[in-house]
Amino acid sequence: MNSQERHEARYQRRKARRLQKAREAGGARFEEVMSFKNLCAAGKACCNGARWKTSTINFETNLLGETQRTYDSLYNGTRVFHGFHSFSTVEHGKLRNIDALPIQERAIQKCLCANLLTGVYSRSFIYDNAASLKDKGMDFMLGRLRKHLRDHYRKYGTEGGIYQFDFKGYFGSLPHDEIKRRAREKIVDDRLYNLLCDFVDDFRRMKTADKDVARGVGLGSEVSQIIALDYASPIDHYVKDVRGIHGYGRYMDDGYVISNSLEELEDIRRNLYRLAKELGIAMSDKKNIITPFRHHSFTFLKMRVRLMENGKVVMKLSRKSIRSMRRKMDIFRRWMDEGRLDPEDVFQSYQSWRAHAKRCNSYDTLRALDERFTQMFAAELAGRRLPFPCTMKASRTGCGWIYRRHGAVIEEEMCA
Protein backbone atom coordinates (compact mmCIF):
# COMPACT_ATOMS: atom_id res chain seq x y z
CA MET A 1 0.00 0.00 0.00
CA ASN A 2 1.54 3.29 -1.10
CA SER A 3 1.13 6.68 0.62
CA GLN A 4 -1.80 7.73 -1.59
CA GLU A 5 -3.70 4.53 -0.78
CA ARG A 6 -3.02 4.96 2.95
CA HIS A 7 -4.25 8.57 2.73
CA GLU A 8 -7.45 7.43 1.03
CA ALA A 9 -7.97 4.65 3.61
CA ARG A 10 -7.64 7.13 6.49
CA TYR A 11 -10.10 9.47 4.78
CA GLN A 12 -12.66 6.67 4.34
CA ARG A 13 -12.32 5.65 8.00
CA ARG A 14 -12.87 9.24 9.15
CA LYS A 15 -15.85 9.55 6.82
CA ALA A 16 -17.36 6.32 8.18
CA ARG A 17 -16.94 7.56 11.77
CA ARG A 18 -18.61 10.87 10.92
CA LEU A 19 -21.54 9.08 9.29
CA GLN A 20 -21.87 6.76 12.29
CA LYS A 21 -21.96 9.70 14.71
CA ALA A 22 -24.52 11.47 12.53
CA ARG A 23 -26.75 8.38 12.53
CA GLU A 24 -26.46 8.13 16.31
CA ALA A 25 -27.38 11.82 16.71
CA GLY A 26 -30.42 11.44 14.47
CA GLY A 27 -31.40 8.08 15.89
CA ALA A 28 -33.49 9.40 18.79
CA ARG A 29 -36.91 7.80 19.12
CA PHE A 30 -40.22 9.63 18.95
CA GLU A 31 -41.01 8.83 22.59
CA GLU A 32 -37.74 10.37 23.76
CA VAL A 33 -38.05 13.58 21.75
CA MET A 34 -41.77 14.35 22.07
CA SER A 35 -42.20 13.33 25.71
CA PHE A 36 -44.68 15.10 28.00
CA LYS A 37 -41.80 16.64 29.97
CA ASN A 38 -40.14 18.04 26.84
CA LEU A 39 -43.44 19.38 25.48
CA CYS A 40 -44.20 21.10 28.78
CA ALA A 41 -40.73 22.70 28.93
CA ALA A 42 -41.03 23.86 25.32
CA GLY A 43 -44.45 25.37 25.97
CA LYS A 44 -43.10 27.26 28.99
CA ALA A 45 -40.17 28.57 26.93
CA CYS A 46 -42.53 29.81 24.20
CA CYS A 47 -44.16 32.14 26.72
CA ASN A 48 -40.93 34.06 27.34
CA GLY A 49 -41.08 37.53 25.85
CA ALA A 50 -44.76 37.22 24.92
CA ARG A 51 -46.57 37.20 28.25
CA TRP A 52 -48.33 40.46 27.37
CA LYS A 53 -50.45 38.58 24.81
CA THR A 54 -53.86 37.29 25.83
CA SER A 55 -53.29 34.00 23.98
CA THR A 56 -50.02 33.46 25.86
CA ILE A 57 -51.62 34.23 29.23
CA ASN A 58 -54.41 31.73 28.56
CA PHE A 59 -51.94 29.10 27.33
CA GLU A 60 -49.60 29.40 30.31
CA THR A 61 -52.48 29.46 32.82
CA ASN A 62 -53.60 26.06 31.52
CA LEU A 63 -50.14 24.81 30.52
CA LEU A 64 -50.52 21.24 31.79
CA GLY A 65 -53.91 20.80 30.14
CA GLU A 66 -52.68 22.26 26.84
CA THR A 67 -49.60 20.03 26.96
CA GLN A 68 -51.71 16.94 27.62
CA ARG A 69 -53.96 17.69 24.62
CA THR A 70 -50.92 18.21 22.40
CA TYR A 71 -49.27 15.04 23.71
CA ASP A 72 -52.40 12.95 23.07
CA SER A 73 -52.89 14.33 19.54
CA LEU A 74 -49.28 13.56 18.59
CA TYR A 75 -49.30 10.03 19.96
CA ASN A 76 -52.76 9.22 18.57
CA GLY A 77 -51.96 10.70 15.17
CA THR A 78 -54.89 13.14 15.42
CA ARG A 79 -52.92 16.41 15.26
CA VAL A 80 -54.84 19.04 13.28
CA PHE A 81 -53.17 22.25 12.08
CA HIS A 82 -55.49 25.23 12.59
CA GLY A 83 -53.71 27.67 10.29
CA PHE A 84 -51.58 30.79 10.54
CA HIS A 85 -52.26 34.28 11.85
CA SER A 86 -51.30 36.33 8.78
CA PHE A 87 -50.47 40.04 8.85
CA SER A 88 -48.16 42.53 7.14
CA THR A 89 -45.56 44.87 8.58
CA VAL A 90 -43.19 47.47 7.15
CA GLU A 91 -39.55 47.14 8.18
CA HIS A 92 -37.20 49.91 7.02
CA GLY A 93 -39.55 50.73 4.17
CA LYS A 94 -39.86 47.10 3.04
CA LEU A 95 -43.22 45.32 3.22
CA ARG A 96 -42.97 41.94 4.93
CA ASN A 97 -45.81 39.43 5.07
CA ILE A 98 -45.76 37.46 8.32
CA ASP A 99 -47.52 34.15 8.85
CA ALA A 100 -47.40 33.58 12.61
CA LEU A 101 -48.08 30.25 14.26
CA PRO A 102 -50.41 29.88 17.25
CA ILE A 103 -48.53 29.21 20.47
CA GLN A 104 -49.66 25.56 20.59
CA GLU A 105 -47.90 24.90 17.27
CA ARG A 106 -44.85 26.87 18.32
CA ALA A 107 -44.52 24.66 21.40
CA ILE A 108 -44.46 21.51 19.26
CA GLN A 109 -41.87 22.98 16.90
CA LYS A 110 -39.68 24.20 19.76
CA CYS A 111 -39.80 20.75 21.36
CA LEU A 112 -38.74 19.08 18.09
CA CYS A 113 -35.97 21.62 17.44
CA ALA A 114 -34.57 21.71 20.97
CA ASN A 115 -34.46 17.94 21.39
CA LEU A 116 -33.54 16.82 17.86
CA LEU A 117 -33.32 19.15 14.87
CA THR A 118 -30.84 21.74 16.16
CA GLY A 119 -28.36 19.10 17.29
CA VAL A 120 -28.71 16.99 14.15
CA TYR A 121 -28.55 19.81 11.60
CA SER A 122 -25.89 21.94 13.28
CA ARG A 123 -23.36 19.09 13.13
CA SER A 124 -22.69 19.98 9.49
CA PHE A 125 -22.67 23.78 9.94
CA ILE A 126 -19.48 25.77 9.66
CA TYR A 127 -18.46 27.79 12.72
CA ASP A 128 -19.30 31.09 10.99
CA ASN A 129 -22.88 30.10 10.19
CA ALA A 130 -24.24 32.41 12.84
CA ALA A 131 -27.96 32.80 13.46
CA SER A 132 -30.62 31.24 15.71
CA LEU A 133 -28.12 29.01 17.51
CA LYS A 134 -27.02 29.01 21.15
CA ASP A 135 -24.31 31.61 21.89
CA LYS A 136 -24.58 32.89 18.32
CA GLY A 137 -26.45 35.80 16.82
CA MET A 138 -25.84 39.31 15.51
CA ASP A 139 -23.22 40.19 18.13
CA PHE A 140 -21.33 36.99 17.35
CA MET A 141 -21.47 37.66 13.60
CA LEU A 142 -20.26 41.25 13.92
CA GLY A 143 -17.46 40.06 16.19
CA ARG A 144 -16.40 37.48 13.61
CA LEU A 145 -16.48 40.13 10.88
CA ARG A 146 -14.19 42.34 12.96
CA LYS A 147 -11.80 39.43 13.50
CA HIS A 148 -11.76 38.48 9.81
CA LEU A 149 -11.03 42.07 8.80
CA ARG A 150 -8.21 42.39 11.34
CA ASP A 151 -6.71 39.06 10.28
CA HIS A 152 -6.86 40.21 6.66
CA TYR A 153 -5.12 43.50 7.52
CA ARG A 154 -2.25 41.73 9.29
CA LYS A 155 -1.48 39.77 6.10
CA TYR A 156 -2.47 42.10 3.27
CA GLY A 157 -3.22 45.54 4.68
CA THR A 158 -6.08 47.18 2.77
CA GLU A 159 -5.36 45.20 -0.38
CA GLY A 160 -8.35 43.35 -1.85
CA GLY A 161 -11.95 43.72 -0.75
CA ILE A 162 -15.16 42.07 0.37
CA TYR A 163 -17.88 40.32 -1.62
CA GLN A 164 -21.34 40.50 -0.04
CA PHE A 165 -24.13 38.23 -1.18
CA ASP A 166 -27.80 37.91 -0.44
CA PHE A 167 -30.52 35.56 -1.67
CA LYS A 168 -33.68 36.81 -3.31
CA GLY A 169 -36.79 35.86 -1.31
CA TYR A 170 -34.77 33.21 0.51
CA PHE A 171 -37.37 31.82 2.91
CA GLY A 172 -40.10 31.91 0.28
CA SER A 173 -38.04 30.05 -2.33
CA LEU A 174 -36.85 26.94 -0.45
CA PRO A 175 -38.18 23.80 -2.25
CA HIS A 176 -40.04 21.36 -0.02
CA ASP A 177 -38.85 18.22 -1.83
CA GLU A 178 -35.19 19.01 -1.19
CA ILE A 179 -35.93 19.92 2.44
CA LYS A 180 -37.58 16.53 2.97
CA ARG A 181 -34.79 14.68 1.18
CA ARG A 182 -32.16 16.18 3.45
CA ALA A 183 -34.29 15.51 6.53
CA ARG A 184 -34.58 11.83 5.58
CA GLU A 185 -30.78 11.56 5.59
CA LYS A 186 -30.57 13.01 9.11
CA ILE A 187 -33.65 11.64 10.94
CA VAL A 188 -33.96 7.89 11.49
CA ASP A 189 -37.30 7.63 13.30
CA ASP A 190 -40.19 7.57 10.81
CA ARG A 191 -42.65 9.31 13.12
CA LEU A 192 -40.27 12.20 13.77
CA TYR A 193 -39.53 12.47 10.04
CA ASN A 194 -43.25 12.48 9.22
CA LEU A 195 -43.87 15.17 11.86
CA LEU A 196 -41.24 17.41 10.26
CA CYS A 197 -42.78 16.75 6.82
CA ASP A 198 -46.17 17.79 8.24
CA PHE A 199 -44.64 21.08 9.41
CA VAL A 200 -43.16 21.65 5.96
CA ASP A 201 -46.49 20.84 4.25
CA ASP A 202 -48.28 23.25 6.59
CA PHE A 203 -46.30 26.11 5.04
CA ARG A 204 -48.33 25.62 1.85
CA ARG A 205 -51.26 27.11 3.76
CA MET A 206 -49.52 30.42 4.31
CA LYS A 207 -51.26 33.46 2.90
CA THR A 208 -48.20 34.30 0.80
CA ALA A 209 -47.57 30.72 -0.41
CA ASP A 210 -47.95 29.67 -4.03
CA LYS A 211 -50.56 26.92 -3.85
CA ASP A 212 -49.35 25.33 -7.11
CA VAL A 213 -45.68 25.07 -6.14
CA ALA A 214 -44.34 23.31 -3.03
CA ARG A 215 -41.91 26.06 -2.02
CA GLY A 216 -41.28 28.39 0.87
CA VAL A 217 -41.20 28.34 4.67
CA GLY A 218 -42.60 30.93 7.06
CA LEU A 219 -40.70 33.77 8.71
CA GLY A 220 -40.45 33.41 12.47
CA SER A 221 -41.05 29.67 12.71
CA GLU A 222 -38.32 27.82 14.61
CA VAL A 223 -38.38 24.94 12.14
CA SER A 224 -38.02 27.47 9.32
CA GLN A 225 -34.95 28.97 10.98
CA ILE A 226 -33.06 25.69 11.22
CA ILE A 227 -34.10 24.68 7.69
CA ALA A 228 -32.90 28.02 6.30
CA LEU A 229 -29.58 27.72 8.12
CA ASP A 230 -29.04 24.27 6.66
CA TYR A 231 -30.20 24.86 3.10
CA ALA A 232 -27.30 27.11 2.04
CA SER A 233 -24.68 24.96 3.79
CA PRO A 234 -23.26 23.68 0.46
CA ILE A 235 -22.31 27.28 -0.34
CA ASP A 236 -20.64 27.64 3.09
CA HIS A 237 -18.56 24.51 2.55
CA TYR A 238 -17.64 25.50 -0.99
CA VAL A 239 -16.15 28.81 0.16
CA LYS A 240 -14.51 27.48 3.35
CA ASP A 241 -13.40 24.00 2.26
CA VAL A 242 -12.99 24.11 -1.52
CA ARG A 243 -11.71 27.69 -1.87
CA GLY A 244 -9.99 27.77 1.53
CA ILE A 245 -11.25 31.26 2.44
CA HIS A 246 -10.70 32.22 6.08
CA GLY A 247 -12.70 35.47 6.01
CA TYR A 248 -16.19 34.11 5.38
CA GLY A 249 -19.43 34.28 7.35
CA ARG A 250 -23.16 33.92 6.80
CA TYR A 251 -26.01 35.29 8.88
CA MET A 252 -29.09 33.46 7.50
CA ASP A 253 -29.29 34.84 3.93
CA ASP A 254 -26.63 37.58 4.30
CA GLY A 255 -23.03 36.55 3.75
CA TYR A 256 -19.60 37.91 2.98
CA VAL A 257 -16.30 36.70 1.52
CA ILE A 258 -13.00 38.53 2.17
CA SER A 259 -10.00 38.17 -0.14
CA ASN A 260 -6.86 40.08 -1.12
CA SER A 261 -7.76 39.55 -4.80
CA LEU A 262 -10.74 41.23 -6.43
CA GLU A 263 -10.38 38.76 -9.33
CA GLU A 264 -10.79 35.86 -6.92
CA LEU A 265 -13.93 37.48 -5.51
CA GLU A 266 -15.32 37.80 -9.05
CA ASP A 267 -14.69 34.09 -9.63
CA ILE A 268 -16.33 33.19 -6.29
CA ARG A 269 -19.35 35.31 -7.21
CA ARG A 270 -19.77 33.44 -10.51
CA ASN A 271 -19.55 30.09 -8.73
CA LEU A 272 -22.00 31.11 -6.01
CA TYR A 273 -24.54 32.07 -8.67
CA ARG A 274 -24.03 28.62 -10.19
CA LEU A 275 -24.40 26.82 -6.84
CA ALA A 276 -27.51 28.82 -5.94
CA LYS A 277 -29.10 27.84 -9.25
CA GLU A 278 -28.33 24.16 -8.58
CA LEU A 279 -29.93 24.50 -5.12
CA GLY A 280 -33.07 26.06 -6.64
CA ILE A 281 -32.64 29.47 -5.02
CA ALA A 282 -31.81 32.83 -6.61
CA MET A 283 -29.23 35.48 -5.83
CA SER A 284 -30.25 39.12 -5.43
CA ASP A 285 -28.34 41.03 -8.12
CA LYS A 286 -28.79 44.31 -6.26
CA LYS A 287 -27.18 43.01 -3.06
CA ASN A 288 -24.37 40.91 -4.60
CA ILE A 289 -21.59 43.49 -4.65
CA ILE A 290 -17.81 43.57 -4.43
CA THR A 291 -16.32 46.50 -2.48
CA PRO A 292 -12.58 47.33 -2.38
CA PHE A 293 -11.29 48.09 1.10
CA ARG A 294 -9.18 51.06 0.09
CA HIS A 295 -11.18 54.34 0.35
CA HIS A 296 -14.52 52.47 0.60
CA SER A 297 -16.95 51.38 3.28
CA PHE A 298 -19.66 48.72 3.08
CA THR A 299 -22.92 47.97 4.88
CA PHE A 300 -23.52 44.65 6.64
CA LEU A 301 -26.40 43.87 9.01
CA LYS A 302 -27.41 47.55 9.00
CA MET A 303 -23.88 48.57 10.03
CA ARG A 304 -21.63 50.83 7.95
CA VAL A 305 -18.21 49.17 8.21
CA ARG A 306 -14.79 50.41 7.11
CA LEU A 307 -11.31 48.93 7.33
CA MET A 308 -9.06 51.92 8.00
CA GLU A 309 -5.52 52.44 6.72
CA ASN A 310 -4.17 51.89 10.26
CA GLY A 311 -5.99 48.53 10.59
CA LYS A 312 -8.80 49.76 12.81
CA VAL A 313 -12.27 48.40 12.05
CA VAL A 314 -14.91 51.12 12.42
CA MET A 315 -18.60 50.20 12.60
CA LYS A 316 -21.18 52.95 12.52
CA LEU A 317 -24.95 53.05 12.23
CA SER A 318 -26.17 53.02 8.66
CA ARG A 319 -27.76 56.26 7.50
CA LYS A 320 -30.91 54.33 6.64
CA SER A 321 -31.28 53.15 10.24
CA ILE A 322 -30.85 56.69 11.59
CA ARG A 323 -33.44 58.16 9.21
CA SER A 324 -35.85 55.35 10.06
CA MET A 325 -35.57 56.04 13.80
CA ARG A 326 -36.18 59.76 13.31
CA ARG A 327 -39.34 59.02 11.35
CA LYS A 328 -40.48 56.60 14.05
CA MET A 329 -40.09 59.26 16.74
CA ASP A 330 -42.40 61.59 14.84
CA ILE A 331 -44.94 58.82 14.32
CA PHE A 332 -44.77 57.75 17.99
CA ARG A 333 -45.34 61.34 19.10
CA ARG A 334 -48.38 61.68 16.87
CA TRP A 335 -49.85 58.33 17.93
CA MET A 336 -49.37 59.13 21.62
CA ASP A 337 -51.16 62.46 21.17
CA GLU A 338 -54.02 60.56 19.49
CA GLY A 339 -54.14 58.00 22.31
CA ARG A 340 -53.22 55.11 20.01
CA LEU A 341 -49.98 54.20 21.79
CA ASP A 342 -48.94 53.81 25.42
CA PRO A 343 -45.79 55.74 26.51
CA GLU A 344 -44.10 52.62 27.89
CA ASP A 345 -44.47 50.89 24.51
CA VAL A 346 -42.66 53.84 22.91
CA PHE A 347 -39.87 53.72 25.51
CA GLN A 348 -39.46 49.96 25.03
CA SER A 349 -39.30 50.31 21.24
CA TYR A 350 -36.66 53.03 21.44
CA GLN A 351 -34.57 51.09 23.96
CA SER A 352 -34.66 48.10 21.61
CA TRP A 353 -33.21 50.26 18.85
CA ARG A 354 -30.62 51.71 21.25
CA ALA A 355 -29.41 48.18 22.10
CA HIS A 356 -28.58 47.72 18.42
CA ALA A 357 -27.04 51.20 18.12
CA LYS A 358 -24.74 50.63 21.12
CA ARG A 359 -22.90 47.97 19.12
CA CYS A 360 -21.49 50.72 16.90
CA ASN A 361 -18.80 53.38 17.13
CA SER A 362 -21.54 56.03 16.89
CA TYR A 363 -21.67 57.67 20.31
CA ASP A 364 -22.24 61.20 18.99
CA THR A 365 -25.10 60.01 16.76
CA LEU A 366 -26.66 58.09 19.64
CA ARG A 367 -26.37 61.10 21.95
CA ALA A 368 -28.01 63.38 19.36
CA LEU A 369 -30.94 60.97 18.99
CA ASP A 370 -31.22 60.55 22.78
CA GLU A 371 -31.40 64.32 23.12
CA ARG A 372 -34.11 64.52 20.47
CA PHE A 373 -36.07 61.67 22.09
CA THR A 374 -35.93 63.13 25.61
CA GLN A 375 -37.08 66.52 24.30
CA MET A 376 -39.99 65.08 22.29
CA PHE A 377 -41.23 62.93 25.18
CA ALA A 378 -40.14 65.14 28.09
CA ALA A 379 -43.55 65.21 29.79
CA GLU A 380 -43.96 61.41 29.74
CA LEU A 381 -40.36 60.77 30.82
CA ALA A 382 -40.66 63.23 33.73
CA GLY A 383 -43.40 61.18 35.37
CA ARG A 384 -41.57 57.82 35.33
CA ARG A 385 -40.59 56.22 38.61
CA LEU A 386 -37.06 55.45 37.41
CA PRO A 387 -34.85 57.46 35.05
CA PHE A 388 -34.80 56.50 31.39
CA PRO A 389 -31.42 54.87 30.52
CA CYS A 390 -29.67 56.98 27.88
CA THR A 391 -26.61 59.15 27.29
CA MET A 392 -28.35 62.19 28.81
CA LYS A 393 -27.86 63.07 32.48
CA ALA A 394 -31.08 62.58 34.44
CA SER A 395 -31.82 64.87 37.42
CA ARG A 396 -34.74 64.50 39.84
CA THR A 397 -36.58 67.79 40.40
CA GLY A 398 -39.86 68.84 41.91
CA CYS A 399 -41.57 68.39 38.55
CA GLY A 400 -40.03 64.98 37.82
CA TRP A 401 -37.06 63.77 35.82
CA ILE A 402 -35.24 66.30 33.63
CA TYR A 403 -32.72 65.21 31.02
CA ARG A 404 -29.83 67.30 29.74
CA ARG A 405 -26.39 66.88 28.26
CA HIS A 406 -23.59 66.40 30.78
CA GLY A 407 -22.30 69.78 31.84
CA ALA A 408 -25.49 71.67 30.94
CA VAL A 409 -27.25 73.74 33.58
CA ILE A 410 -30.92 73.29 34.51
CA GLU A 411 -32.78 76.51 33.84
CA GLU A 412 -35.45 77.81 36.20
CA GLU A 413 -38.16 77.86 33.55
CA MET A 414 -37.75 74.13 32.84
CA CYS A 415 -39.79 73.35 35.94
CA ALA A 416 -42.31 76.12 35.40
Side-chain angles (χ1 to χ4, degrees), residues 51-264:
R51 287 187 170 87
W52 55 273
K53 296 181 180 179
T54 303
S55 59
T56 305
I57 295 171
N58 294 335
F59 177 81
E60 190 171 23
T61 301
N62 190 29
L63 180 61
L64 294 179
E66 292 282 1
T67 304
Q68 186 65 54
R69 279 193 289 272
T70 301
Y71 180 84
D72 292 340
S73 67
L74 290 172
Y75 277 77
N76 298 333
T78 57
R79 171 185 171 267
V80 177
F81 180 62
H82 296 290
F84 294 91
H85 301 310
S86 300
F87 60 93
S88 298
T89 183
V90 177
E91 181 182 352
H92 298 285
K94 183 177 180 181
L95 179 67
R96 293 190 182 274
N97 296 303
I98 308 297
D99 294 283
L101 288 165
I103 191 168
Q104 291 81 0
E105 289 294 322
R106 289 195 287 117
I108 303 174
Q109 290 198 11
K110 181 173 282 293
C111 182
L112 182 63
C113 289
N115 297 287
L116 179 70
L117 295 187
T118 301
V120 169
Y121 276 84
S122 62
R123 289 180 56 83
S124 61
F125 293 171
I126 64 170
Y127 182 70
D128 293 308
N129 185 351
S132 302
L133 297 174
K134 186 180 179 182
D135 299 326
K136 292 188 177 182
M138 186 175 289
D139 289 329
F140 172 85
M141 187 77 266
L142 293 173
R144 291 297 292 173
L145 175 60
R146 283 192 182 95
K147 183 182 187 308
H148 289 152
L149 290 171
R150 288 167 181 159
D151 292 346
H152 177 88
Y153 182 84
R154 291 189 191 102
K155 286 187 176 182
Y156 309 107
T158 56
E159 181 185 352
I162 184 169
Y163 162 48
Q164 295 171 261
F165 64 88
D166 195 351
F167 302 109
K168 186 176 181 179
Y170 183 55
F171 279 77
S173 63
L174 302 182
H176 291 181
D177 291 342
E178 179 63 15
I179 292 171
K180 294 177 182 179
R181 185 192 68 78
R182 292 192 189 185
R184 182 73 281 186
E185 295 176 353
K186 299 175 184 294
I187 302 174
V188 176
D189 191 283
D190 290 337
R191 294 176 70 185
L192 290 172
Y193 170 72
N194 291 332
L195 180 60
L196 176 60
C197 290
D198 288 342
F199 289 146
V200 174
D201 291 336
D202 290 340
F203 291 126
R204 300 189 68 174
R205 297 176 58 180
M206 293 188 301
K207 183 179 179 180
T208 55
D210 187 343
K211 303 301 186 291
D212 300 324
V213 181
R215 278 182 176 273
V217 295
L219 291 172
S221 162
E222 194 156 349
V223 165
S224 300
Q225 300 287 329
I226 197 68
I227 288 172
L229 282 174
D230 172 72
Y231 199 82
S233 276
I235 289 176
D236 300 340
H237 288 286
Y238 169 77
V239 178
K240 295 290 281 189
D241 302 337
V242 178
R243 302 302 293 254
I245 300 293
H246 168 66
Y248 171 83
R250 178 168 66 91
Y251 188 86
M252 204 57 76
D253 59 341
D254 294 307
Y256 63 86
V257 185
I258 297 172
S259 173
N260 64 313
S261 169
L262 298 180
E263 290 75 17
E264 182 181 30

Side-chain angles (χ1 to χ4, degrees), residues 393-410:
K393 183 178 181 180
S395 300
R396 193 68 179 263
T397 67
C399 56
W401 293 102
I402 290 179
Y403 298 84
R404 67 192 192 281
R405 286 197 176 198
H406 288 269
V409 179
I410 301 179

Side-chain angles (χ1 to χ4, degrees), residues 214-401:
R215 278 182 176 273
V217 295
L219 291 172
S221 162
E222 194 156 349
V223 165
S224 300
Q225 300 287 329
I226 197 68
I227 288 172
L229 282 174
D230 172 72
Y231 199 82
S233 276
I235 289 176
D236 300 340
H237 288 286
Y238 169 77
V239 178
K240 295 290 281 189
D241 302 337
V242 178
R243 302 302 293 254
I245 300 293
H246 168 66
Y248 171 83
R250 178 168 66 91
Y251 188 86
M252 204 57 76
D253 59 341
D254 294 307
Y256 63 86
V257 185
I258 297 172
S259 173
N260 64 313
S261 169
L262 298 180
E263 290 75 17
E264 182 181 30
L265 292 178
E266 285 285 359
D267 184 56
I268 290 174
R269 176 162 65 175
R270 286 192 294 271
N271 280 282
L272 260 58
Y273 267 80
R274 174 182 57 81
L275 288 171
K277 186 176 181 181
E278 292 174 0
L279 291 170
I281 53 181
M283 288 288 194
S284 172
D285 294 332
K286 182 180 178 181
K287 297 181 180 179
N288 275 255
I289 53 177
I290 295 175
T291 307
F293 287 136
R294 199 161 294 165
H295 309 306
H296 290 84
S297 64
F298 61 92
T299 301
F300 183 70
L301 298 182
K302 300 182 177 63
M303 298 284 187
R304 188 157 50 90
V305 186
R306 184 168 182 178
L307 178 60
M308 308 297 287
E309 293 292 338
N310 60 1
K312 184 178 180 180
V313 178
V314 177
M315 290 188 176
K316 292 184 176 292
L317 283 170
S318 68
R319 294 183 180 90
K320 188 175 180 180
S321 178
I322 297 169
R323 288 195 300 267
S324 175
M325 193 65 240
R326 286 179 178 275
R327 285 195 298 267
K328 279 186 178 180
M329 286 185 194
D330 296 333
I331 294 171
F332 288 160
R333 181 70 268 175
R334 187 171 68 250
W335 284 1
M336 282 180 59
D337 293 340
E338 295 172 357
R340 296 170 58 186
L341 203 59
D342 186 75
E344 286 300 323
D345 292 335
V346 174
F347 302 153
Q348 185 176 358
S349 176
Y350 183 67
Q351 280 294 354
S352 177
W353 178 84
R354 287 190 82 256
H356 169 72
K358 285 165 68 175
R359 300 183 175 109
C360 312
N361 310 109
S362 299
Y363 178 81
D364 290 339
T365 300
L366 183 59
R367 184 175 63 176
L369 286 169
D370 281 347
E371 186 173 16
R372 186 173 191 264
F373 184 83
T374 53
Q375 288 175 357
M376 290 182 66
F377 302 94
E380 291 79 11
L381 290 169
R384 297 181 90 239
R385 184 173 64 87
L386 297 174
F388 184 73
C390 62
T391 57
M392 299 291 103
K393 183 178 181 180
S395 300
R396 193 68 179 263
T397 67
C399 56
W401 293 102

